[in-house]
Amino acid sequence: MALEKMDKRSEERFSYLRSIKYICIPGTEEDFKGITIDISKSGLKLYIFSPSCIHEGLHVRVKNDLPLASTTGV
């Protein structure tokens, strides 16, 4: 049996530990706090402290400067 690559992402991820602030769209303009875990050209893994504000289809806008083309994601 051949071993398969477990991470099927098209972009390589790199460790990127940073404290960030984000807002949920649509939602209030309330700032929430999180920590980035890793990052790639097309996205990031984010640990959040307020999971109740996140649901499917919601956009999240990161308010800090990040080395990404966009700071808004689904």
Side-chain angles (χ1 to χ4, degrees):
M1 181 169 101
L3 294 176
E4 291 184 32
K5 183 179 174 186
M6 291 185 67
D7 189 352
K8 297 182 181 190
R9 299 176 195 273
S10 60
E11 303 287 340
E12 185 176 0
R13 294 265 173 153
F14 299 94
S15 288
Y16 191 79
L17 298 173
R18 299 288 188 275
S19 176
I20 58 124
K21 290 182 181 178
Y22 65 94
I23 59 173
C24 297
I25 305 168
T28 67
E29 291 296 314
E30 180 181 359
D31 286 351
F32 295 98
K33 293 181 182 179
I35 298 173
T36 61
I37 305 299
D38 62 36
I39 196 166
S40 74
K41 289 181 183 177
S42 60
L44 59 90
K45 182 187 290 184
L46 180 63
Y47 179 82
I48 59 174
F49 301 111
S50 302
S52 61
C53 80
I54 302 292
H55 55 80
E56 187 174 347
L58 183 78
H59 285 74
V60 174
R61 173 159 294 153
V62 177
K63 296 182 80 172
N64 302 64
D65 291 333
L66 292 175
L68 295 173
S70 173
T71 58
T72 302
V74 179

